[in-house]
Amino acid sequence: MHTTFTHASPADRVLCPALRERIMTADQAASLIQSGMTLGMSGFTPAGAPKAVPQALARRIEEQNAHGGQFRISLWTGASTSAELDGALAKVHGIERRLPYQSDPTVRKEINEGRMQYVDIHLSHVAQYVWFGFLGHLDVAVVEVAGILPDGRLIPSTSVGNNKTWLEQADKIILEVNSAQPAALEGMHDIYYGAAVPPLRKPIPMVHPYDRIGDPYLHCDLDKVIAVVPTQQRDRLAGFTAPDADSQRIAQHIIDFLQHEVKVGRLPPELLPLQSGVGNIANAVLAGLNHGPFEQLHAYTEVLQDGMLDMLESGKLATASTTSLALSPAAMERFLADIDRYRSRVILRPQEISNHPELIRRMGLISMNALIEADMYGNVNSTHVMGSSIMNGIGGSGDFARNAYLSIFMTPSMAKGGNISCIVPMVSHVDHTEHDVQVIVTEQGLADLRGLAPVQRARRIIAQCVHPDYRAEMTDYLERALRDAPGKHTPHLLEETYAWHQRYLKTGSMHAAAPVPRVRAA
Amino acid sequence: MHTTFTHASPADRVLCPALRERIMTADQAASLIQSGMTLGMSGFTPAGAPKAVPQALARRIEEQNAHGGQFRISLWTGASTSAELDGALAKVHGIERRLPYQSDPTVRKEINEGRMQYVDIHLSHVAQYVWFGFLGHLDVAVVEVAGILPDGRLIPSTSVGNNKTWLEQADKIILEVNSAQPAALEGMHDIYYGAAVPPLRKPIPMVHPYDRIGDPYLHCDLDKVIAVVPTQQRDRLAGFTAPDADSQRIAQHIIDFLQHEVKVGRLPPELLPLQSGVGNIANAVLAGLNHGPFEQLHAYTEVLQDGMLDMLESGKLATASTTSLALSPAAMERFLADIDRYRSRVILRPQEISNHPELIRRMGLISMNALIEADMYGNVNSTHVMGSSIMNGIGGSGDFARNAYLSIFMTPSMAKGGNISCIVPMVSHVDHTEHDVQVIVTEQGLADLRGLAPVQRARRIIAQCVHPDYRAEMTDYLERALRDAPGKHTPHLLEETYAWHQRYLKTGSMHAAAPVPRVRAA
């Protein structure tokens, strides 16, 4: 079923005659974008993000604004993107409003200095909100693809994200056709075309993570395509550092826990489909699973990172469903070397499917996500630093945590060389409530919170997860709250819930300056 | 299809010979319950809660503990129950652990004084957690039914709740057969028997709120039934006060908003299925809808209260799906007088179906729920008073708010005669995060938060929802936070986030003692 492309020029990936006529440079394409427009761009991590038009647009914005212009656009994507996209546009202060997720340092700075409006949305909600008309009008889609067939069908790139929605909802379309993306991706995608708006929705016909329910190609109205820009550049993704000792301990606690759950019959021996968040801890857990006791695993996740490729290679992981193939360059080489074997085992889907509550709940995922801070009652902050500053965003963590079979949150017990305790009396922002957090794990240990009332949760989290450096002070807070708070269900002393955060902001450390006072019996 | 019961004695509702042999008194049945057991009881509101065995059990507990015993049980239900169940057992300090919801003053006191462990769970999660083995072993089910057919099938009562799960998961079953419940309920229920545990789950085959996908009867293993207790007592539900002026204003804001959404094409003229929380504001909104412009509405909700019956009577509401028929005595009389007409229009379902994320999202509900407090950034507290004390619980509000098409939260702008502002700088407990709250409405106005960043949300909530008595002080807080907070995304001053709550706890009022200081430009 694979298309044969010649390699005479980058434009050879554009087999559709009508679209060949619309080939132009990135600068020409960017000149079609006007200030005030809303753009829907591809990209879920740097994977599959457009490589040329955003930078050309940044140049256009910089130039116009250098001459007194006020050129700004609104930017919607799948999730985070790349320095060439988010970074370039933020550097010229070109983004007015951003959603649904970001992780770029310049974007973060723009948001936290109050120059960019950031709307932090569950990743599964984005496409439907656009279809419902809740987020306003989409002017232009800028979508990277790996090739265009003669009839205009599009071979998706290394991520799918919201591309189907952008292509269908935008007035106009700019396609980047990236001939550095493997043509062999063809056939790996599964674009679900059964979505609808209520009251016309039907059940999504998926029961296994490896079910194919859609089409391998993206479709678009060719008349809407105003530009086709050939590019030739691989995704630039960072590699991973080898797991450190703390991450390895976290991984081991999780594996021990999963083994115990299998032993007592609460999980089948082959577990349930795995969802894993991004980052070094997640990769350490995957490395642990890759050397662990479980076989014939499946992944149903939003980002396929190096750790999962290792598991596909070893055979521990039978199949993986994702919306983003976010491999480091070295891992991508290994992936491509064996792509014909992986094509039947890896599926790339739209993010409203990879993150769909209906499917996550039906298939019963084991969800593992990182956090910024948790509190002793089990509330989780995934987004804010010290209550006010955004880090990245909630991403898909809410889609998974709320609907998973098992919802696990993991973090080192401390950050900033011990000056921050990642477990605090009360989180400074809540993204996952006490109702949605079943397991918290640090290098210290794992707290299974299922079926516990708040004070029981606090005692278990303090005993299992909090670093010894902070344990006495947190115990002291809990005991004094139990004694003095007006209610004993979730006892808090409102005048000092954020004392640790305030101390950090003031002194650079959450550590108490003076020795922790011992609580007297009430 | 209706069964004919004689009325010679209460036991005449028990047509199954094997079960007739197990008829006994409530005290005899209660004697089969031992200390330390976990009981799964029927009841979702007082509707369908057992009427006799809980009180007999309370007597047994009181007697045993008067002689030095430590008799306590764990209690699982559908949601809240009645004074005769929760109240009676709490009064004798007989409940060790309670889930998933309560609204009884004695239970609340036990929890907030630290004598009862309360686990506050999304109502759609309860049944599956029991099936997964996450909450421990269920010893005895105590379930009210309206009758038992000759072959042992059970006619469910006025609520379904978790009864299917209790009957299937418990070791032993005690049935209360309540001959005061209308025999004409037969045929109104729809018990879905297609549920499974992952990885065996299938799509739930429902696309309209009025689809029937199950069986009108509950089934159980007759060998597990250890007692059948005839009772004859109607559910005791409170009536509603006539909507006050504030509730009517809230209702009008919502109706205006829905009309606007229809006008701009974001809702169909017949809207989408309605979910309405419980209480006087909810009933006022339903009264408003009953005199409003919308026709041929459908409800997909967890509790059918008087306001919805009015709409069924007027024809504004075509059909209603619920897990609880929580009508006041007067409304129940009207319902029964016309029950043959309602049987095809009202469906009673298990709560894992009435509250299922898959179905709520698919059908695109308009969800309307009350709250305790919201904050200026759009986080909602549905459960806690001043951060530490439980009020009732999250109930189904999370199931609906997260998955609805439109998620509306409503509250008067002030409580306690103006001494509490229901909108605060930061909520003292989070049950619905900024990511899940689309609309907040008070009698002051309606804040549509869709697509807004945090500071934009704050400005809109302050302008539209906050009572003028608190508006200046909240604006002052926002402006100072924008000036002084380390990040401008969700600016907070951590040293005074709970100043209003602390003031209330100290003085009985959130009102500032001194005039609100004006902010100077930064």
PDB file of all heavy atoms in Angstrom, chain A residues 17 26 38 170 202 270 282 332 339 451 457 467:
ATOM      1  N   PRO A  17      -1.499  17.085  -8.343  1.00  0.00           N
ATOM      2  CA  PRO A  17      -1.202  18.180  -9.281  1.00  0.00           C
ATOM      3  C   PRO A  17      -1.761  19.528  -8.813  1.00  0.00           C
ATOM      4  O   PRO A  17      -1.069  20.536  -8.865  1.00  0.00           O
ATOM      5  CB  PRO A  17      -1.889  17.727 -10.577  1.00  0.00           C
ATOM      6  CG  PRO A  17      -2.047  16.244 -10.434  1.00  0.00           C
ATOM      7  CD  PRO A  17      -2.204  15.962  -8.985  1.00  0.00           C
ATOM      8  N   ALA A  26       8.276  29.392   2.460  1.00  0.00           N
ATOM      9  CA  ALA A  26       7.688  29.646   3.772  1.00  0.00           C
ATOM     10  C   ALA A  26       7.366  31.124   3.938  1.00  0.00           C
ATOM     11  O   ALA A  26       6.343  31.495   4.516  1.00  0.00           O
ATOM     12  CB  ALA A  26       8.640  29.174   4.880  1.00  0.00           C
ATOM     13  N   THR A  38      -6.352  33.547  14.105  1.00  0.00           N
ATOM     14  CA  THR A  38      -6.118  32.380  14.951  1.00  0.00           C
ATOM     15  C   THR A  38      -5.598  31.257  14.075  1.00  0.00           C
ATOM     16  O   THR A  38      -6.202  30.935  13.041  1.00  0.00           O
ATOM     17  CB  THR A  38      -7.416  31.956  15.653  1.00  0.00           C
ATOM     18  OG1 THR A  38      -7.815  33.006  16.541  1.00  0.00           O
ATOM     19  CG2 THR A  38      -7.208  30.681  16.455  1.00  0.00           C
ATOM     20  N   ALA A 170     -10.565  25.054   9.896  1.00  0.00           N
ATOM     21  CA  ALA A 170      -9.950  26.309   9.459  1.00  0.00           C
ATOM     22  C   ALA A 170     -10.533  26.774   8.115  1.00  0.00           C
ATOM     23  O   ALA A 170     -10.919  25.960   7.275  1.00  0.00           O
ATOM     24  CB  ALA A 170      -8.437  26.135   9.333  1.00  0.00           C
ATOM     25  N   LYS A 202     -22.011   8.805  18.460  1.00  0.00           N
ATOM     26  CA  LYS A 202     -22.202   7.358  18.589  1.00  0.00           C
ATOM     27  C   LYS A 202     -21.076   6.787  19.452  1.00  0.00           C
ATOM     28  O   LYS A 202     -20.047   7.437  19.636  1.00  0.00           O
ATOM     29  CB  LYS A 202     -22.145   6.709  17.200  1.00  0.00           C
ATOM     30  CG  LYS A 202     -23.195   7.217  16.221  1.00  0.00           C
ATOM     31  CD  LYS A 202     -24.471   6.400  16.335  1.00  0.00           C
ATOM     32  CE  LYS A 202     -25.512   6.825  15.303  1.00  0.00           C
ATOM     33  NZ  LYS A 202     -26.181   8.101  15.632  1.00  0.00           N
ATOM     34  N   GLU A 270      -0.864  -9.723  32.557  1.00  0.00           N
ATOM     35  CA  GLU A 270      -0.326  -8.859  31.498  1.00  0.00           C
ATOM     36  C   GLU A 270      -0.728  -7.411  31.747  1.00  0.00           C
ATOM     37  O   GLU A 270      -0.643  -6.571  30.855  1.00  0.00           O
ATOM     38  CB  GLU A 270      -0.774  -9.353  30.127  1.00  0.00           C
ATOM     39  CG  GLU A 270      -2.248  -9.197  29.807  1.00  0.00           C
ATOM     40  CD  GLU A 270      -3.166 -10.191  30.528  1.00  0.00           C
ATOM     41  OE1 GLU A 270      -2.675 -10.940  31.393  1.00  0.00           O
ATOM     42  OE2 GLU A 270      -4.380 -10.204  30.239  1.00  0.00           O
ATOM     43  N   ALA A 282       9.307   9.179  33.969  1.00  0.00           N
ATOM     44  CA  ALA A 282       8.489   8.260  33.173  1.00  0.00           C
ATOM     45  C   ALA A 282       9.382   7.281  32.415  1.00  0.00           C
ATOM     46  O   ALA A 282       9.112   6.077  32.369  1.00  0.00           O
ATOM     47  CB  ALA A 282       7.613   9.048  32.209  1.00  0.00           C
ATOM     48  N   MET A 332      14.908   7.433  16.936  1.00  0.00           N
ATOM     49  CA  MET A 332      14.197   7.465  15.655  1.00  0.00           C
ATOM     50  C   MET A 332      14.949   6.640  14.612  1.00  0.00           C
ATOM     51  O   MET A 332      14.325   5.934  13.809  1.00  0.00           O
ATOM     52  CB  MET A 332      14.003   8.914  15.186  1.00  0.00           C
ATOM     53  CG  MET A 332      13.224   9.062  13.890  1.00  0.00           C
ATOM     54  SD  MET A 332      11.548   8.334  13.909  1.00  0.00           S
ATOM     55  CE  MET A 332      10.570   9.730  14.479  1.00  0.00           C
ATOM     56  N   ILE A 339      11.135  -0.208  10.720  1.00  0.00           N
ATOM     57  CA  ILE A 339       9.787   0.369  10.680  1.00  0.00           C
ATOM     58  C   ILE A 339       8.742  -0.596  10.134  1.00  0.00           C
ATOM     59  O   ILE A 339       7.577  -0.560  10.551  1.00  0.00           O
ATOM     60  CB  ILE A 339       9.779   1.710   9.897  1.00  0.00           C
ATOM     61  CG1 ILE A 339       8.479   2.467  10.184  1.00  0.00           C
ATOM     62  CG2 ILE A 339      10.021   1.497   8.414  1.00  0.00           C
ATOM     63  CD1 ILE A 339       8.528   3.926   9.849  1.00  0.00           C
ATOM     64  N   GLY A 451      -9.585   4.153  48.860  1.00  0.00           N
ATOM     65  CA  GLY A 451     -10.501   3.831  49.950  1.00  0.00           C
ATOM     66  C   GLY A 451     -10.181   4.491  51.274  1.00  0.00           C
ATOM     67  O   GLY A 451     -10.786   4.160  52.291  1.00  0.00           O
ATOM     68  N   ARG A 457      -5.225   9.279  54.585  1.00  0.00           N
ATOM     69  CA  ARG A 457      -4.335   9.539  53.451  1.00  0.00           C
ATOM     70  C   ARG A 457      -3.111  10.336  53.900  1.00  0.00           C
ATOM     71  O   ARG A 457      -1.966  10.038  53.511  1.00  0.00           O
ATOM     72  CB  ARG A 457      -5.082  10.335  52.364  1.00  0.00           C
ATOM     73  CG  ARG A 457      -6.136   9.547  51.632  1.00  0.00           C
ATOM     74  CD  ARG A 457      -6.474  10.172  50.272  1.00  0.00           C
ATOM     75  NE  ARG A 457      -7.134  11.448  50.379  1.00  0.00           N
ATOM     76  CZ  ARG A 457      -8.449  11.653  50.345  1.00  0.00           C
ATOM     77  NH1 ARG A 457      -9.275  10.625  50.218  1.00  0.00           N
ATOM     78  NH2 ARG A 457      -8.960  12.859  50.427  1.00  0.00           N
ATOM     79  N   HIS A 467       9.938  13.219  52.305  1.00  0.00           N
ATOM     80  CA  HIS A 467      11.346  13.063  52.655  1.00  0.00           C
ATOM     81  C   HIS A 467      11.536  13.251  54.162  1.00  0.00           C
ATOM     82  O   HIS A 467      10.874  14.113  54.754  1.00  0.00           O
ATOM     83  CB  HIS A 467      12.190  14.084  51.888  1.00  0.00           C
ATOM     84  CG  HIS A 467      13.655  13.799  51.962  1.00  0.00           C
ATOM     85  ND1 HIS A 467      14.426  14.161  53.045  1.00  0.00           N
ATOM     86  CD2 HIS A 467      14.476  13.151  51.106  1.00  0.00           C
ATOM     87  CE1 HIS A 467      15.677  13.759  52.840  1.00  0.00           C
ATOM     88  NE2 HIS A 467      15.731  13.144  51.658  1.00  0.00           N
TER      89      HIS A 467
END
